[in-house]
């Protein structure tokens, strides 16, 4: 697949056109940002890990009945994906209170929920990705009622599958963010990435953070945490 001109450069990825108008190439960078771009840095090796992890997990989800944009891993950092129009929603699923939920509602980090909590933010950097509910999303015409219902169903299915997978790697899936897109025919697929940048992943035994919170909170050992989580995923895949 021929890589053509760059279409877009985001905080953590570059996106290129290909000779097929319905396929794009995503290239993962080591750049890290937090707090809407206020904090910037580099996590050496992150691009390779996020590319490989996201691809492994998307292939699993696809088998489990969740359609994704994934097509083919091209190299360490590059993947061929289906072209989508991104639905401008950040879909967050939480199993345990952490981060902005803990702060907003005054709930101690680590408090488990009786059932998963789905939350939406409006994907809009200028507004700082404000929290919104599904009525707000409909009022803003970000998605149709049918699309919102499907997105919620897929998000909960992703949670069940990933929770079980990470448990078998001795990792607790605390929360994560998903993005969905529309293919040319209008169907909804899971897009963007699933990685330690977009998930909170804690060692099940020790509670040690194995994700981007180590970068956000200046905890050190960021590269080691990314390597460790990738090692757990790889050794699980080898056992199958
Ligand atoms: N998240 C993300 N991108 C964002 C905001 C959140 O990937 O722009 C992920 C984050 O890594 C965590 C989950 O979504 O796994 C919930 O994040 P939260 O709302 O607690 O926000 P934060 O505390 O990271 O600001």
């Amino acid at each position: 697949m021929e890589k053509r001109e760059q279409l877009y450069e985001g905080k953590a990825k570059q996106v290129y056109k290909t000779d097929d108008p319905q396929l794009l190439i995503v290239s993962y960078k080591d750049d890290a940002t937090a707090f809407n771009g206020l904090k910037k840095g580099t996590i050496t090796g992150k691009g390779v890990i996020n590319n490989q992890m996201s691809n492994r997990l998307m292939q699993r989800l696809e088998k489990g009945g969740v359609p994704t944009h994934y097509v083919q891993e091209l190299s360490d950092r590059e993947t061929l994906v289906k072209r989508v129009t991104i639905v401008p929603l950040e879909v967050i699923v939480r199993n345990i209170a952490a981060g902005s939920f803990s702060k907003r509602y005054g709930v101690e980090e680590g408090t488990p929920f009786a059932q998963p909590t789905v939350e939406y933010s409006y994907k809009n950097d200028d507004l700082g990705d404000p929290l919104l509910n599904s009525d707000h999303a409909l009022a803003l015409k970000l998605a149709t009622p049918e699309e919102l219902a499907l997105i919620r169903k897929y998000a909960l299915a992703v949670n069940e599958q990933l929770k079980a997978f990470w448990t078998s790697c001795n990792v607790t899936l605390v929360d994560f963010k998903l993005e969905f897109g529309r293919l040319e025919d209008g169907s909804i697929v899971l897009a963007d990435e699933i990685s330690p940048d977009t998930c909170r992943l804690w060692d099940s035994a020790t509670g040690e953070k194995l994700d981007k919170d180590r970068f956000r909170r200046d905890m050190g050992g960021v590269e080691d945490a990314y390597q460790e989580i990738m090692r757990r995923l790889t050794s699980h895949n080898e056992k199958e």
Side-chain angles (χ1 to χ4, degrees):
M1 188 59 57
E2 198 69 30
K3 188 159 138 188
R4 296 276 175 85
E5 78 259 32
Q6 188 173 300
L7 191 63
Y8 170 82
E9 174 149 19
K11 292 169 197 150
K13 297 189 279 295
Q14 294 157 331
V15 181
Y16 297 89
K17 288 189 178 177
T18 67
D19 37 28
D20 182 335
Q22 297 315 323
L23 295 175
L24 300 176
I25 292 172
V26 176
S27 180
Y28 286 74
K29 304 188 283 183
D30 285 350
D31 298 355
T33 63
F35 313 117
N36 200 13
L38 243 55
K39 184 182 171 81
K40 287 193 174 69
T42 303
I43 303 173
T44 306
K46 172 172 86 81
V48 173
I49 288 172
N50 286 9
N51 182 42
Q52 294 176 346
M53 179 177 296
S54 195
N55 292 342
R56 304 288 176 286
L57 296 177
M58 291 228 186
Q59 286 175 79
R60 270 181 177 276
L61 292 167
E62 192 85 53
K63 281 191 198 135
V66 178
T68 77
H69 71 163
Y70 174 79
V71 178
Q72 190 193 347
E73 191 166 288
L74 300 176
S75 69
D76 269 8
R77 287 179 189 271
E78 293 187 331
T79 295
L80 191 64
V81 298
K82 294 176 188 165
R83 185 177 191 145
V84 299
T85 315
I86 289 286
V87 178
L89 285 174
E90 298 201 338
V91 181
I92 291 167
V93 184
R94 303 177 184 275
N95 297 304
I96 298 176
S100 69
F101 186 97
S102 289
K103 203 169 161 219
R104 181 175 300 115
Y105 302 114
V107 177
E108 195 187 344
E109 202 162 78
T111 310
F113 299 138
Q115 64 273 310
T117 303
V118 181
E119 179 183 302
Y120 306 99
S121 298
Y122 181 18
K123 211 174 131 58
N124 184 320
D125 280 341
D126 295 338
L127 298 175
D129 298 340
L131 182 72
L132 46 67
N133 67 27
S134 42
D135 281 355
H136 295 151
L138 293 175
L140 293 167
K141 294 191 164 32
L142 305 183
T144 66
E146 294 73 26
E147 285 175 335
L148 269 187
L150 194 56
I151 284 171
R152 181 182 167 87
K153 190 181 93 169
Y154 286 155
L156 289 169
V158 169
N159 185 46
E160 289 314 311
Q161 292 180 42
L162 292 188
K163 225 171 28 176
F165 173 73
W166 283 119
T167 297
S168 71
C169 303
N170 293 314
V171 171
T172 303
L173 178 62
V174 175
D175 59 28
F176 57 93
K177 185 261 304 180
L178 301 176
E179 293 183 24
F180 291 88
R182 295 179 191 98
L183 297 178
E184 205 188 19
D185 68 1
S187 59
I188 295 281
V189 299
L190 181 62
D192 193 46
E193 67 179 281
I194 308 175
S195 72
D197 275 15
T198 63
C199 303
R200 285 196 170 92
L201 300 162
W202 295 353
D203 181 290
S204 300
T206 65
E208 189 190 356
K209 296 187 197 314
L210 299 172
D211 57 55
K212 196 172 146 188
D213 269 350
R214 300 199 78 88
F215 169 78
R216 293 189 189 100
R217 302 180 187 187
D218 295 319
M219 297 171 75
V222 186
E223 277 86 358
D224 286 349
Y226 276 70
Q227 303 262 339
E228 176 59 20
I229 200 76
M230 192 60 203
R231 199 186 62 71
R232 302 247 185 130
L233 179 137
T234 309
S235 57
H236 179 287
N237 277 356
E238 278 166 4
K239 271 185 253 148
E240 282 182 336

